[in-house]
Structures are given as C-alpha cells and as structure tokens.
Amino acid sequence: MAALYDTQAFLLDRANVYDVVTRLTMNIDLGLWDELADEVYASQVVVDYTSMFGGKPMEMTNQGYVENLRPTMTGFDSIHHIVMGQVIQLPQPVPGVARPDKCTVIANVVGHMTRHGAKGGPMMHNGGRYVLDLVRLPELERKGQNPWRISRHATELLWQEGSSDVMTQVATLGS
C-alpha cells in the first residue's frame, strides 16, 4: 500500500527538504563535518563543481566527499554562504499522485571567503545556483528523522569578484 500523500505530508516534505538545503551551507560554515555527512548527504553522492573548477563530476561516499571538502574549507580564515530562493520541485498532493521518493531543488547561493595573506586582497565573493537532487531514505523516516538527503549536488557559478588568490588552494576540487 502506497504511503498517504496529502497536504500535511506535502508540507512536511517541503519543510524537511528546505531544512536539508539550509543545513548544507550552515554545516560547512560552522565546520560541522559529521553533521554535513550524516544529516545532509545520502551515503553515495555525485558532486559537480565543473562550472567553478573544470574537471568532471565526482561520485563518492558522503564521508569521502566531506573529507575531500574539509581541508579546503578550513583553509579559509572565514566563510559565509547564503542560500535563498529555494524552488523545491515536489508534486502537488492531488488524488492519484503518489508520495515522492525524490525531488530536485534549485536555489540561489552566494559565498564569501576570506584568506588574510592572499595576494590582491583577502576577500572573494561569488554567486550562482545549486541544483540538488534529493532522495527520501525510508529507514530514517521510520526512526522519526528527516528522511531527505542530497544525492547529487551541482554548483553553477554565475559571477565572482575579489581576489582570485583567495580561491587558489581550491582550484583542484573536482579534478
């Protein structure tokens, strides 16, 4: 028997998905690495930073991705991300529509990074979009936890300004 997909389930899904996307950048900015792996990403994740650094999308475990990301982010003196305008693509709860087990989120993101000693100044700002695919993990739902996790994370760079030397150390991410 299919799970009931009514207005309440729809709103709970939207809130849970929104929370996961918010936790993505908050956990990075606060250095909450275990929470980033466990509460944001699915056990297997595809990460695509090709618009920022070239290379190709990477497929790895959530723990592997966080261990790849951690030294990069801790190399900055400070980081601050802002995620806004989340468009959560879930079907409306109408008769005949099954409760979804996956969805896509498109969101605007702005990042501010500082590295004191960088040539050309300590600040780099950039902005773009996240395109995130999320999956529902029933085992988490059965435990009363937020069941949504990111299975694919693409960042599309749209603009940047400031000292490119601030970003020099991360230019190999995804290569």
Side-chain angles (χ1 to χ4, degrees):
M1 184 170 152
L4 180 64
Y5 188 56
D6 58 9
T7 301
Q8 184 175 353
F10 167 77
L11 293 173
L12 180 59
D13 280 344
R14 280 186 55 83
N16 280 330
V17 167
Y18 186 93
D19 187 57
V20 168
V21 175
T22 301
R23 286 175 185 271
L24 164 60
T25 57
M26 188 65 70
N27 287 341
I28 290 172
D29 291 350
L30 295 174
L32 300 174
W33 307 111
D34 291 338
E35 290 84 348
L36 181 64
D38 298 338
E39 298 174 5
V40 174
Y41 289 104
S43 60
Q44 286 294 127
V45 63
V46 174
V47 180
D48 184 349
Y49 284 110
T50 56
S51 90
M52 293 179 74
F53 305 116
K56 59 183 182 177
M58 305 173 291
E59 185 172 353
M60 61 185 72
T61 66
N62 57 353
Q63 296 291 335
Y65 171 58
V66 169
E67 288 309 309
N68 185 308
L69 183 67
R70 184 179 188 163
T72 300
M73 293 295 115
T74 57
F76 296 114
D77 292 317
S78 65
I79 49 177
H80 182 223
H81 293 85
I82 303 165
V83 177
M84 60 208 128
Q86 292 186 36
V87 176
I88 300 169
Q89 298 175 346
L90 286 167
Q92 293 294 309
V94 296
V97 173
R99 190 168 184 209
D101 59 2
K102 59 185 177 178
C103 73
T104 297
V105 175
I106 300 171
N108 291 316
V109 62
V110 176
H112 306 279
M113 289 72 56
T114 64
R115 194 162 53 94
H116 296 300
K119 295 176 185 168
M123 292 288 289
M124 168 58 85
H125 312 277
N126 60 30
R129 252 178 230 107
Y130 283 156
V131 179
L132 308 167
D133 292 336
L134 288 87
V135 294
R136 179 194 308 278
L137 302 176
E139 63 274 16
L140 296 177
E141 197 161 37
R142 284 190 292 272
K143 294 177 184 178
Q145 298 175 13
N146 183 336
W148 291 94
R149 297 294 185 270
I150 297 170
S151 61
R152 184 173 189 285
H153 172 161
T155 299
E156 299 174 355
L157 181 65
L158 297 176
W159 62 270
Q160 62 184 5
E161 70 175 350
S163 171
S164 61
D165 190 55
V166 172
M167 296 293 287
T168 299
Q169 69 188 40
V170 299
T172 59
L173 190 63
S175 298

